[in-house]
Amino acid sequence: MFSLPQKLTAPFGLLPDAEKLAFRSQPSGLIKLATVRNIPETDSYWNQYTVLFDSASEVYSLITPHDVRRALLDAPENIATLIRVITARLTNLISDHTFPTPTITAANAIAFMKAGNGDRNTTKEVLNCLRVLQRVLPVVFEVEGESSVFELQVLWRREEVYEPEDLDSRPPQFVIEDEDASDEESAPKPAPKPRPKSTKPALGEKLFGSIVDLLFCCGFTLPTKIQVDHHKINYIIWEKGVGSTSDPGPNAQYDNNKTEVLRLLLVLLSRQIYVPPSSLFSKPSLYSLHLVQKIPRRDVLTILCSLLNTVMNSHMQVNSSLGGMAGRLPYNHLVFKGEDTRSNLIGMSLQVLIAALDFQSGSAKDNGEQPTAKTNSFRYFLMKLHRTQDFAFIFDGIMGIYDKQLTTINNVLPGARKSLPYVVEATVLLWKILELNKKFRVFVIEHDKCMDLVGHLLCYNLEIKDKPQQHGICRTLSYIIQSLSAESGFGAKLSKPLTIQVPSKWAVPGNAADFMINAIYSIVATTSGSLNALYPALVISLSNFAPHFKNLSVTTSARLIQLFKSFSNPLFLLADEGHPRLLFFMLELFNGVIFYHLAENPNLIYGILSSHKLFEDLGTFTLSRAVREIKRVQSLKEQQGQGVMKSPRGSNENEVRESEKSRLLASESQEEMGSSGEAVDREPELSISAPPPMSPTTESVIPRESITETSEKARGKQKERRSSSTDVEVSLERVAALGIGRNGFVPSQEWVRSWQQGLPLDPVMLVISELLPKIQVYHASRHKTNATAAILDFLGSVTLKEVLPPVPPLNPRKFTWSDASMVWLTSLIWGEIYLRGMSPLGIWNSTNVRLFYVKHSQHQQQHQITEAVSNVVGGLLRRTNSEVSIVTTRPR
């Protein structure tokens, strides 16, 4: 028989370690950091921070933000010493000949176990240095806020030191005196020269240098086989792709180490989330500035290409890890919880990449010009990509990510596959590349699968539209689509069908234009006004595409008419001063079809003629008529709720409507003569209700200068429409009492006249006046079924060139950046990074973020995020129940 030892020393950390458990309770542990003042740098106390922990989760669980915050307030000099000691040790370890420690393999596992814990593991120490800094720095950033006194003193203060004395300038040890030199001795001796001084790099600069070196350290993040002689730091691109044709192959341990280093880099870049939005541009992060402006050109290019290639190769590599295996079998991701190191690296690479590409603050801001190497070198070198094979590699990588995401939706078994965790970051990266690199944008436009890309964006939008925490990325998707729609040559692809496998619940017959219109209609019609901020960009996209629409189906044409009907509803129009813009853009859409492809879209023209009353009423729209219609609808709904109207649709209902209309007209005339009436207290429901913020993509509702010349008949229609818009003024108090306007907005007849007379109604009204009588003749002379076919044949051959004004040139509306939209996107990016960092480590948990508002759940004790950062963590949406709000001007 043999007996087991009472205490096992487990070099692999399989058993709980008493030292780790005592770290939080013993006086010589974490408590000492806040209770004992002025611990010297040479004290052995600091050693435990580099050798005690075996994983990142242990660091984050044993050192809490409360502990760091307490020490920072009670003994700030100890936190400063901790940062100095850990950074210095990290720098020294990189140059140590024992780093990195050889990876444990089957050949040396026995020797390692015999050695036990006695041998020094420098790789573990380096990882612990990274983890401790990751844990401490966010709390330092939070306590500092807009002030940077502590950081400037500890991390960015440069010390001046005397240079070593030159040996030639020293006095000789002995001098042989010359009797003939008595005259020279009497001469005055020159004053000694002052010793020159030099400036040592700041601690923050050393830290960035260590991070860059670790990203390209053989045996730590790169294979040892590429090491040349004793030079373990080798600036080689991680994977094949942009700038490299060699691929060292995947390695789970190297991927994990890369993730650890990138996490510290991301923590440094996160300094700006502790600054309020109003100070985002005026108080830039020194860490971000150093990364995008001070890093050498070689290092920037190597980091940029390494991160980019890691992301774009994600769809081609086979992951053999436990987490990767779980993703390929149905529902296995719910059973096997193994960590997917490859997915973690891809996500972290994306986050660092988009954070660097998005940074525009202080001297890094473009100010309406192209980026340069002096403003933001990452943006500059991404803009300089020009090789076709690089563009093809990037495009295939983006499409591969969206293809994998679409397969998670297309499964027969719901939820059988895990959704990609980094689709949001990939979408933002796509937007950044399209924004910065014009040649890549042209490449995408000319690519055969460009409409498939738009299909992916719309499918992803449809998938997440009902999730409030994802509404920020919904806006991003809509802005990308608008940016693409403004490019010349893109509309020619609309007549081609999509080649991707659209889920059956969203699939529609027809070409890409049919799918796009139906998808946008679904987004507008099924979100009940919760996505009103998206509507302008989506409708502008349709307006930009309209001159290229051909052979729209019956269903698609009906969707467009229904959108117009919803946007022309009086209650929606009067709810917010920005709502008439949507009507304006829809009219531009119809005009684009009329001017360019009238005969090729008989279904849409037939729909316009069938709904001619909508356009005619809009031409004579006044505030008093709109209020009268709103009151009529409200009264009908109230009576229906009280059970007054019980009869089915028919003659009885018509009689009730007529009597109700007469009663309302009589009561309104009494009010106009001075008698007071009761206001309707209850606000009616409407599918499109909430007022959207001003979109950064649109201008005020005025007719385009391109539609200037009109025919004589058009002028007559215009005069008739304007002369009929002189109805009785409705008092502001009455409109406000009705509760029509939102957020304090009170519509007036002057406001109505300002946009109503600027609506581009003339081309549509000319088409109606010319074609409606002929269509009515067809209806009167033929059977209904035969009449429809004959009408469509007639509309397919009609031309109105002699009636319509000259065809205006194409003038698509592009997305334009503003300070408010830049703040919104920065908030969105860092809000997503914040959420991703919550699990499993909680990098920024329990810290007071100031860039956006974090909504915590009331049902959980540990302040977990409910669903996401409130209202897309952005600065453009009006937020409720938030402690930190973004006060910005409306984007223009």
Side-chain angles (χ1 to χ4, degrees):
M1 296 293 293
F2 62 91
S3 60
L4 293 174
Q6 296 297 320
K7 181 178 179 181
L8 296 175
T9 58
F12 300 107
L14 299 177
L15 299 177
D17 195 337
E19 294 181 358
K20 298 176 184 176
L21 298 178
F23 176 70
R24 292 190 54 81
S25 58
Q26 289 185 350
S28 60
L30 187 62
I31 300 176
K32 184 177 179 180
L33 191 65
T35 56
V36 178
R37 302 296 299 268
N38 298 308
I39 304 176
E41 295 184 10
T42 56
D43 198 306
S44 60
Y45 167 77
W46 306 111
N47 294 335
Q48 57 188 326
Y49 287 92
T50 59
V51 299
L52 182 62
F53 314 107
D54 292 313
S55 66
S57 59
E58 291 181 358
V59 175
Y60 279 83
S61 59
L62 294 176
I63 304 176
T64 66
H66 174 72
D67 299 324
V68 180
R69 191 178 295 109
R70 178 189 173 191
L72 194 59
L73 297 176
D74 295 343
E77 70 280 356
N78 288 342
I79 295 296
T81 304
L82 175 63
I83 295 174
R84 291 193 188 100
V85 170
I86 296 298
T87 304
R89 189 160 299 182
L90 180 64
T91 304
N92 295 333
L93 283 169
I94 294 175
S95 58
D96 195 311
H97 70 281
T98 62
F99 173 78
T101 303
T103 305
I104 301 174
T105 60
N108 59 5
I110 297 178
F112 180 81
M113 294 178 65
K114 288 181 179 180
N117 292 335
D119 292 346
R120 185 183 182 187
N121 190 341
T122 52
T123 298
K124 172 184 172 181
E125 292 183 28
V126 167
L127 290 174
N128 283 335
C129 289
L130 298 173
R131 295 159 182 166
V132 170
L133 290 174
Q134 294 167 17
R135 195 53 165 159
V136 172
L137 288 177
V139 183
V140 174
F141 298 158
E142 174 215 36
V143 175
E144 285 281 274
E146 293 186 65
S147 172
S148 302
V149 178
F150 182 85
E151 298 171 65
L152 291 174
Q153 183 68 22
V154 177
L155 287 163
W156 296 107
R157 183 172 62 90
R158 294 183 177 182
E159 296 181 358
E160 288 187 350
V161 295
Y162 288 102
E163 291 185 356
E165 193 173 7
D166 191 359
L167 296 177
D168 296 336
S169 62
R170 293 182 181 179
Q173 293 181 352
F174 61 92
V175 178
I176 300 176
E177 294 184 358
D178 190 353
E179 296 179 356
D180 298 335
S182 58
D183 297 337
E184 297 179 2
E185 291 179 359
S186 60
K189 295 182 179 180
K193 295 181 179 180
R195 290 177 59 185
K197 293 182 179 181
S198 62
T199 303
K200 293 177 62 177
L203 196 65
E205 295 176 307
K206 295 180 181 179
L207 182 57
F208 270 100
S210 300
I211 290 174
V212 174
D213 288 343
L214 287 175
L215 288 175
F216 305 99
C217 180
C218 297
F220 185 72
T221 51
L222 291 176
T224 54
K225 62 183 179 181
I226 65 175
Q227 181 172 338
V228 180
D229 296 333
H230 62 282
H231 303 289
K232 55 187 173 184
I233 306 301
N234 201 343
Y235 294 96
I236 293 179
I237 298 174
W238 291 346
E239 301 179 13
K240 66 178 180 180
V242 179
S244 176
T245 57
S246 60
D247 191 358
N251 184 294
Q253 186 59 48
Y254 295 157
D255 288 349
N256 186 68
N257 293 342
K258 292 174 185 176
T259 304
E260 294 276 7
V261 181
L262 290 175
R263 187 183 297 122
L264 176 58
L265 180 58
L266 193 64
V267 166
L268 293 174
L269 298 180
S270 69
R271 177 62 178 91
Q272 57 184 339
I273 72 175
Y274 297 99
V275 174
S278 57
S279 303
L280 188 62
F281 297 125
S282 59
K283 296 186 178 179
S285 166
L286 297 177
Y287 309 92
S288 300
L289 281 177
H290 185 84
L291 178 67
V292 303
Q293 293 182 349
K294 304 299 183 181
I295 298 293
R297 177 179 182 272
R298 175 203 60 185
D299 299 353
V300 171
L301 289 172
T302 312
I303 295 173
L304 177 62
C305 294
S306 296
L307 299 179
L308 198 60
N309 294 351
T310 300
V311 173
M312 298 309 162
N313 284 322
S314 60
H315 69 288
M316 295 187 296
Q317 293 172 343
V318 178
N319 194 346
S320 58
S321 65
L322 184 60
M325 293 289 291
R328 293 197 294 273
L329 298 176
Y331 296 110
N332 267 19
H333 64 281
L334 302 177
V335 180
F336 297 100
K337 299 296 183 179
E339 188 177 21
D340 190 350
T341 56
R342 187 64 188 174
S343 178
N344 292 340
L345 175 61
I346 295 169
M348 194 64 66
S349 300
L350 271 168
Q351 291 172 11
V352 172
L353 195 56
I354 61 178
L357 293 173
D358 176 71
F359 181 72
Q360 290 192 72
S361 182
S363 59
K365 193 173 181 182
D366 295 339
N367 292 321
E369 301 177 356
Q370 290 186 343
T372 65
K374 294 182 179 180
T375 56
N376 188 324
S377 55
F378 282 84
R379 292 170 62 88
Y380 173 75
F381 288 118
L382 184 66
M383 181 189 69
K384 287 298 182 180
L385 291 179
H386 63 278
R387 297 194 306 172
T388 304
Q389 57 266 37
D390 292 340
F391 291 156
F393 172 74
I394 295 174
F395 184 81
D396 292 341
I398 294 292
M399 292 295 290
I401 292 175
Y402 283 122
D403 285 337
K404 291 177 68 174
Q405 175 65 20
L406 195 60
T407 57
T408 64
I409 308 173
N410 267 330
N411 281 324
V412 178
L413 301 174
R417 294 190 183 277
K418 184 180 179 181
S419 178
L420 288 184
Y422 45 81
V423 181
V424 174
E425 294 93 330
T427 302
V428 176
L429 177 61
L430 170 64
W431 194 11
K432 287 296 177 184
I433 301 176
L434 289 171
E435 171 205 350
L436 291 170
N437 199 304
K438 295 181 180 179
K439 294 181 180 179
F440 177 75
R441 195 156 63 241
V442 173
F443 176 85
V444 172
I445 299 300
E446 296 177 351
H447 201 282
D448 293 338
K449 293 185 177 181
C450 64
M451 290 311 304
D452 289 345
L453 175 61
V454 176
H456 275 302
L457 298 177
L458 288 171
C459 285
Y460 187 43
N461 208 333
L462 288 167
E463 178 193 3
I464 63 177
K465 65 180 175 61
D466 297 322
K467 303 175 182 178
Q469 69 272 21
Q470 295 289 335
H471 285 179
I473 194 61
C474 287
R475 294 184 65 187
T476 303
L477 293 166
S478 64
Y479 293 152
I480 296 175
I481 295 173
Q482 181 189 348
S483 300
L484 291 175
S485 70
E487 294 295 326
S488 59
F490 197 83
K493 310 277 186 172
L494 288 170
S495 58
K496 296 181 179 180
L498 298 178
T499 60
I500 62 174
Q501 187 178 358
V502 179
S504 57
K505 55 184 176 181
W506 302 324
V508 293
N511 52 30
D514 290 305
F515 172 75
M516 183 179 65
I517 294 172
N518 281 272
I520 292 176
Y521 172 82
S522 298
I523 294 172
V524 174
T526 61
T527 51
S528 300
S530 59
L531 286 179
N532 273 7
L534 273 68
Y535 300 162
L538 293 175
V539 178
I540 287 173
S541 300
L542 293 180
S543 177
N544 291 340
F545 281 132
H548 307 281
F549 287 158
K550 293 181 181 179
N551 303 316
L552 296 180
S553 65
V554 177
T555 303
T556 302
S557 302
R559 300 302 191 200
L560 291 175
I561 298 298
Q562 185 60 40
L563 280 177
F564 180 79
K565 182 178 180 181
S566 299
F567 293 149
S568 61
N569 187 298
L571 185 58
F572 178 75
L573 280 176
L574 301 182
D576 188 86
E577 60 180 341
H579 283 185
R581 294 175 303 137
L582 299 174
L583 201 61
F584 185 85
F585 300 141
M586 286 300 299
L587 288 172
E588 281 191 343
L589 186 156
F590 295 139
N591 292 342
V593 174
I594 290 172
F595 279 120
Y596 287 91
H597 296 290
L598 186 146
E600 288 87 345
N601 293 282
N603 293 317
L604 179 59
I605 302 302
Y606 189 31
I608 293 174
L609 296 175
S610 301
S611 305
H612 63 94
K613 185 95 169 44
L614 287 175
F615 299 92
E616 293 169 353
D617 291 344
L618 194 60
T620 58
F621 187 93
T622 60
L623 183 61
S624 61
R625 295 185 184 182
V627 171
R628 185 161 55 236
E629 176 64 18
I630 292 172
K631 287 186 63 178
R632 185 187 69 81
V633 174
Q634 289 175 339
S635 298
L636 290 177
K637 286 186 176 182
E638 288 180 352
Q639 291 183 7
Q640 288 177 350
Q642 296 172 1
V644 175
M645 299 183 64
K646 298 181 180 180
S647 61
R649 293 187 177 181
S651 58
N652 293 335
E653 184 179 5
N654 294 333
E655 293 176 0
V656 173
R657 286 183 176 179
E658 291 298 329
S659 60
E660 179 64 22
K661 183 175 181 180
S662 302
R663 188 183 65 82
L664 288 174
L665 290 174
S667 63
E668 181 178 355
S669 59
Q670 290 177 1
E671 291 177 1
E672 292 175 352
M673 288 186 294
S675 59
S676 60
E678 295 183 0
V680 181
D681 295 330
R682 188 174 63 87
E683 184 175 329
E685 297 178 355
L686 191 65
S687 60
I688 305 175
S689 55
M694 292 292 288
S695 169
T697 64
T698 60
E699 311 101 13
S700 59
V701 181
I702 56 174
R704 293 192 187 182
E705 295 179 359
S706 57
I707 308 177
T708 54
E709 299 182 9
T710 56
S711 61
E712 292 296 331
K713 194 163 187 177
R715 293 194 185 98
K717 290 289 180 182
Q718 190 174 11
K719 291 179 181 178
E720 178 184 351
R721 178 160 56 91
R722 292 183 178 179
S723 62
S724 61
S725 299
T726 57
D727 210 337
V728 182
E729 179 77 21
V730 181
S731 66
L732 298 181
E733 292 79 11
R734 179 173 163 227
V735 176
L738 282 171
I740 298 176
R742 308 293 176 84
N743 299 320
F745 171 70
V746 179
S748 64
Q749 178 59 33
E750 182 181 357
W751 170 78
V752 170
R753 190 181 299 110
S754 66
W755 58 261
Q756 190 267 345
Q757 293 184 356
L759 292 177
L761 268 170
D762 294 325
V764 179
M765 297 304 296
L766 285 173
V767 170
I768 292 175
S769 63
E770 288 292 325
L771 299 181
L772 184 59
K774 300 177 182 178
I775 298 304
Q776 292 173 344
V777 172
Y778 275 95
H779 276 292
S781 60
R782 296 172 181 264
H783 189 268
K784 183 177 181 181
T785 305
N786 297 332
T788 302
I791 290 171
L792 293 177
D793 291 339
F794 166 72
L795 295 176
S797 59
V798 73
T799 176
L800 299 177
K801 293 182 179 180
E802 69 282 356
V803 178
L804 295 173
V807 178
L810 293 178
N811 186 20
R813 298 178 184 273
K814 299 181 179 181
F815 179 87
T816 55
W817 287 98
S818 64
D819 287 350
S821 59
M822 291 168 61
V823 171
W824 164 76
L825 183 59
T826 302
S827 303
L828 172 66
I829 291 173
W830 280 106
E832 186 65 28
I833 293 175
Y834 181 96
L835 291 176
R836 288 286 304 277
M838 291 185 62
S839 177
L841 298 178
I843 303 174
W844 297 277
N845 285 13
S846 302
T847 59
N848 184 19
V849 179
R850 296 177 178 87
L851 181 61
F852 48 82
Y853 168 69
V854 182
K855 184 178 180 181
H856 296 282
S857 173
Q858 299 178 355
H859 304 286
Q860 298 179 2
Q861 296 180 354
Q862 295 183 349
H863 297 293
Q864 296 294 322
I865 296 291
T866 52
E867 293 182 348
V869 180
S870 176
N871 281 340
V872 210
V873 299
L876 302 185
L877 295 181
R878 300 180 176 92
R879 297 186 290 183
T880 58
N881 300 326
S882 63
E883 299 176 358
V884 181
S885 60
I886 297 180
V887 182
T888 57
T889 56
R890 288 181 172 180
R892 300 191 184 278

